[in-house]
């Protein structure tokens, strides 16, 4: 069985009956009681064959009409977008607080026209904002994450794994009203290490986001938080899982 930080009903119900539970995060291990065997394997995800070098990062920023010389904050909310994040970036566009950094927002395919209309109501053109670029979707998301200095996003388990693999500081806005607040638990994996800042969905606004971004953009914080995020990353995930399956199927455990 596979488990992340928060244990779902299936994991809890089958914990006593299964031979091995494989977990994505060390924080999940104490939550699994009376299991025969719990193994930290990590979660399979797309891994960049190589991180973009400086010239490739510059090219990525230019592709999205960003200034390569300015720190970049990448904000995204999944393929559908995240209204709270979108609304906050709109508020930032209106207040023009982001003078010392630039923002790239992937607002979601279905939300692009909504964001465009809301900006228009404020007298702003989505194509000519000061230091903010807004697109519906980013197809090479991991590459752009790697080229950015700070990430602003939800805290689904796969997102946490990708942030850790890339070693990026982040501002996490857990999705509210999900089962047992599991995105909060995911976000705390990085926050407790000092690798991320958590902002509650209902607390998010332009001023709070700006203050957190400015704190992270301190050079020492950028490097320190990035290094701490990498501590959560687990290498050779597929090999770890394969070894457990092989152990089970070759008589290493009673089936």
């Amino acid at each position: 069985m596979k488990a992340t930080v928060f244990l779902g009903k299936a994991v809890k119900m089958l914990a006593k009956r299964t031979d091995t539970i494989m977990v994505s995060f060390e924080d999940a291990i104490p939550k699994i009681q009376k299991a025969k065997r719990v193994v930290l394997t990590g979660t399979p995800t797309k891994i960049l064959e190589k991180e973009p070098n400086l010239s490739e990062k510059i090219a990525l920023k230019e592709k999205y009409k960003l200034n390569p010389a300015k720190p970049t904050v990448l904000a995204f909310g999944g393929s559908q977008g995240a209204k709270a994040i979108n609304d906050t970036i709109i508020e930032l566009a209106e207040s023009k607080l982001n003078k010392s950094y630039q923002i790239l927002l992937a607002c979601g395919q279905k939300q692009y026209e909504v964001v465009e209309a809301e900006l228009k109501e404020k007298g702003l053109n989505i194509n000519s904002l000061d230091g903010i670029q807004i697109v519906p979707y980013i197809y090479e998301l991991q590459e752009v994450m790697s080229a950015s200095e700070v990430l602003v996003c939800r805290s689904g388990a796969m997102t946490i794994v990708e942030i850790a693999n890339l070693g990026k500081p982040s501002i996490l806005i857990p999705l509210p009203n999900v089962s047992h607040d599991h995105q909060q638990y995911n976000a705390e994996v990085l926050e407790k290490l000092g690798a991320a800042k958590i902002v509650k969905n209902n607390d998010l606004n332009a001023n709070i986001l700006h203050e957190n971004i400015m704190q992270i953009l301190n050079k020492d914080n950028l490097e320190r938080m990035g290094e701490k995020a990498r501590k959560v990353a687990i290498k050779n995930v597929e090999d770890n899982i394969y070894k457990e399956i092989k152990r089970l199927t070759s008589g290493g455990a009673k089936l």
Side-chain angles (χ1 to χ4, degrees), residues 30-75:
K31 297 181 174 68
I32 303 173
Q33 299 178 359
K34 299 182 180 180
K36 294 178 185 177
R37 178 178 169 84
V38 181
V39 182
L40 178 64
T41 60
T43 296
T45 186
K46 175 188 172 186
I47 302 291
L48 293 178
E49 291 184 7
K50 67 180 185 65
E51 291 190 26
N53 58 34
L54 181 58
S55 62
E56 289 168 336
K57 288 181 179 181
I58 289 172
L60 277 168
K61 289 186 177 184
E62 288 177 342
K63 176 181 177 179
Y64 289 96
K65 301 178 182 178
L66 297 164
N67 180 353
K70 240 183 178 181
T72 299
V73 176
L74 172 63

Side-chain angles (χ1 to χ4, degrees), residues 83-237:
K83 188 176 187 303
I85 294 174
N86 292 348
D87 289 348
T88 301
I89 302 304
I90 291 171
E91 192 181 341
L92 265 173
E94 188 176 22
S95 65
K96 298 182 179 180
L97 287 170
N98 61 304
K99 293 178 181 177
S100 57
Y101 58 90
Q102 59 194 340
I103 297 171
L104 173 59
L105 168 66
C107 67
Q109 297 278 11
K110 295 182 179 179
Q111 292 298 312
Y112 185 81
E113 291 183 1
V114 175
V115 171
E116 184 178 25
E118 290 180 1
L119 285 165
K120 190 174 181 180
E121 286 180 6
K122 298 177 182 296
L124 298 170
N125 186 326
I126 197 169
N127 296 311
S128 58
L129 301 171
D130 291 338
I132 299 177
Q133 298 294 333
I134 300 177
V135 296
Y137 190 79
I138 296 173
Y139 288 93
E140 67 277 67
L141 183 60
Q142 281 193 320
E143 288 82 356
V144 177
M145 288 169 71
S146 180
S148 303
E149 277 67 43
V150 181
L151 309 178
V152 177
C153 52
R154 295 297 194 191
S155 50
M158 292 302 294
T159 301
I160 299 299
V161 170
E162 290 173 345
I163 290 171
N165 287 338
L166 293 169
K168 288 292 173 179
S170 57
I171 299 169
L172 302 173
I173 301 95
L175 180 66
N177 305 319
V178 293
S179 177
H180 300 284
D181 209 17
H182 70 260
Q183 285 207 3
Q184 177 70 26
Y185 287 95
N186 295 340
E188 287 171 0
V189 169
L190 292 176
E191 185 201 38
K192 75 175 188 178
L193 291 176
K197 293 178 177 290
I198 297 176
V199 178
K200 294 283 190 181
N201 194 78
N202 292 340
D203 294 336
L204 186 64
N205 60 47
N207 286 320
I208 287 175
L209 182 60
H210 172 69
E211 288 171 8
N212 279 282
I213 290 170
M214 291 304 294
Q215 288 174 18
I216 294 174
L217 283 176
N218 173 286
K219 184 179 178 182
D220 290 339
N221 282 340
L222 268 179
E223 294 177 358
R224 177 180 55 81
M225 292 178 73
E227 288 171 2
K228 289 185 175 182
R230 285 190 189 275
K231 291 181 179 180
V232 180
I234 298 174
K235 297 180 179 179
N236 305 317
V237 172

